[in-house]
Amino acid sequence: MIRIVILGAGTVATHLCKAFLASDTCEVIQVYSRKKISLKSVPAYLNTTTSLSKIKEADLYIIAIPDDAIIVFSETLPFKNKLVAHTSGSVAMKKLSSNNRKAVFYPLQTFSKDREVNFSQIPICIEAESSSDLTLLKKLGKAISEKVSVINSSEREKLHLAAVFVNNFVNHMYTIGSEILSEENISFDLLKPLIAETAKKIETLSPKKAQTGPAKRNDIKTIEKQMRLLKSSTNNDLYNKLTKAIFETHGKKL
Amino acid sequence: MIRIVILGAGTVATHLCKAFLASDTCEVIQVYSRKKISLKSVPAYLNTTTSLSKIKEADLYIIAIPDDAIIVFSETLPFKNKLVAHTSGSVAMKKLSSNNRKAVFYPLQTFSKDREVNFSQIPICIEAESSSDLTLLKKLGKAISEKVSVINSSEREKLHLAAVFVNNFVNHMYTIGSEILSEENISFDLLKPLIAETAKKIETLSPKKAQTGPAKRNDIKTIEKQMRLLKSSTNNDLYNKLTKAIFETHGKKL
């Protein structure tokens, strides 16, 4: 049984906590949070603390707090030579405090407070300094997911960069689509089947092969007409840049 | 029984044809295509022709050919006062030849040759010049889909513009993600659960509320680090522009 202390009580911490609780391989022995109020989202029967000095002895400490706070926080932990993993896509493992054994346990998914998560299909990217620590993380990863990959910090930063494109930037495209429709009082629901199919297509087709649309087929007339329709200069500029990028990728020129 | 002639034998024509064949409300009496070879994708028991002069008498003629060929093609039809609908998101209804009664039957979805389509969930956007023609199109739309909307040409061009963002541009974001990973020999499969969840999220959450990531949380350190990682100047520029657009939408400044 892997004994875990979770450091943090936000969205990722809560989802991980639930997934660990559902597994026979590990045990969440404590959840730490700086603020008492944050611990409200943690199941009531779990041991919690807001005091660093009261953190229990465990096999693994998982830091699940905002990316920009991880490094400094890792230096404040009042113990040594323990296995400490963060859960971030963007922070290099070596940046963790050298007081403890460094590791990463990064679930590659976007988490929302109120959405249930099926961890079994979420890739868990792990990294550690020693093979025995890596073995423990692998065991823990497999306890909650079918997809565990050993990914080093340099690969992970590329993964996280790619994730920003396919998640954050994609979501902004949805926002622009919704803005264009709301100007005309057209329901965003009309776009939902298209959004679902666009995402489903690349499960079996490479995104390069799945590309369609005016830019792909070099339909200058439609491109010019659509750019005239865009009132927002920011969106107009984005349309132009994205169209040129598609031209470039698919070997066409303006 | 609505008697239909389909003009065209490409991907949209073939998918529509199949959907009509599965319905009791309509009958595909003929498929026309300029080239004999294109008619290979049409079920063998259907009447087909490559000659405009041999097109049969029908209640509705559906033009399903590339956008930029629709207007000219509609002028070449050798009959008058018939109901002729195109299936395009970007062509205004009034641009069809005045020889016939103009209409639009636009299925708002991305179609691929080898992917099965469930029409019942695809929004069908219809437009016609008279209420009786609109009634016929509505009946036909309901024969294959649960979602039929009356959408005029000005609304339809906005819908099509929004579709370019949420489909074509989103797919290009997937392409960039896949390129970033292939440089490091990391499998694109790792991103697929994230892509699926990003699309699923907006079924219940507005895209503006669903936004996450370094740009949303004003994490300048991560943004600068990620921009340094992007080797392609096109992708670097896109990252910068998309980040600024998210700042703008969510009330932050660089």
Side-chain angles (χ1 to χ4, degrees), chain B residues 12-32:
Chain B
V12 174
T14 311
H15 280 297
L16 272 178
C17 188
K18 276 188 196 164
F20 291 146
L21 288 171
S23 153
D24 299 332
T25 313
C26 56
E27 191 186 353
V28 177
I29 58 167
Q30 194 180 42
V31 179
Y32 159 86

Side-chain angles (χ1 to χ4, degrees), chain A residues 67-68 71 90-92 108-112 115-116 121-123 125 147 149 151 154-181 183-184 186-208 210-215 217 219 221-222 225-227 229-232 234-235 237-239 241-246 248-250, chain B residues 67-68 71 90-92 108-112 115-116 121-123 125 147 149 151 154-181 183-184 186-205 207-208 210-215 217 219 221-222 225-227 229-232 234-235 237-239 241-246 248-250:
Chain A
D67 289 10
D68 54 3
I71 302 169
S90 71
V91 177
L108 180 42
Q109 186 52 287
T110 171
F111 296 97
S112 314
R115 278 181 66 84
E116 281 301 311
Q121 296 307 309
I122 297 178
C125 304
K147 299 172 178 176
S149 300
I151 297 280
S154 142
E155 292 165 333
R156 187 159 34 79
E157 67 182 6
K158 290 296 178 72
L159 256 180
H160 188 242
L161 175 62
V164 165
F165 277 92
V166 307
N167 167 229
N168 306 150
F169 292 163
V170 159
N171 188 75
H172 189 64
M173 297 294 105
Y174 299 159
T175 303
I176 295 174
S178 126
E179 279 171 6
I180 292 168
L181 296 196
E183 283 166 15
E184 302 283 319
I186 305 169
S187 165
F188 183 60
D189 285 350
L190 283 174
L191 290 181
K192 289 180 180 174
L194 179 63
I195 286 172
E197 175 67 10
T198 304
K200 260 186 217 142
K201 251 187 179 176
I202 54 87
E203 282 174 17
T204 51
L205 211 61
S206 80
K208 204 169 166 186
Q211 190 65 52
T212 57
R217 61 173 190 270
D219 180 350
K221 222 169 125 187
T222 301
K225 203 180 85 178
Q226 294 205 318
M227 286 187 65
L229 283 177
L230 278 163
K231 290 170 198 158
S232 143
T234 303
N235 293 348
D237 189 31
L238 277 179
Y239 186 105
K241 289 276 192 293
L242 287 160
T243 295
K244 282 184 180 162
I246 294 173
E248 209 177 282
T249 300
H250 296 272
Chain B
D67 289 11
D68 53 4
I71 302 169
S90 70
V91 176
L108 181 42
Q109 186 51 287
T110 172
F111 296 98
S112 315
R115 278 181 66 85
E116 282 300 310
Q121 296 307 309
I122 297 178
C125 304
K147 298 171 178 175
S149 300
I151 297 280
S154 140
E155 292 165 333
R156 188 160 33 79
E157 65 181 8
K158 290 297 178 70
L159 255 179
H160 188 242
L161 174 62
V164 165
F165 277 93
V166 307
N167 168 228
N168 307 148
F169 292 163
V170 159
N171 189 76
H172 189 63
M173 297 294 106
Y174 299 159
T175 303
I176 296 174
S178 127
E179 279 170 5
I180 292 168
L181 296 196
E183 282 166 15
E184 302 282 320
I186 305 170
S187 166
F188 183 61
D189 285 351
L190 284 173
L191 290 181
K192 289 180 179 174
L194 178 63
I195 287 172
E197 175 68 9
T198 305
K200 259 186 218 142
K201 249 185 181 178
I202 55 86
E203 281 174 19
T204 51
L205 211 62
K208 203 168 167 185
Q211 190 64 52
T212 57
R217 61 174 191 268
D219 179 351
K221 222 169 126 186
T222 301
K225 202 180 85 175
Q226 294 205 319
M227 286 187 64
L229 283 177
L230 277 164
K231 291 169 199 159
S232 143
T234 304
N235 293 348
D237 189 31
L238 277 178
Y239 186 104
K241 289 277 191 298
L242 287 160
T243 295
K244 282 183 180 163
I246 294 173
E248 208 177 281
T249 301
H250 296 272

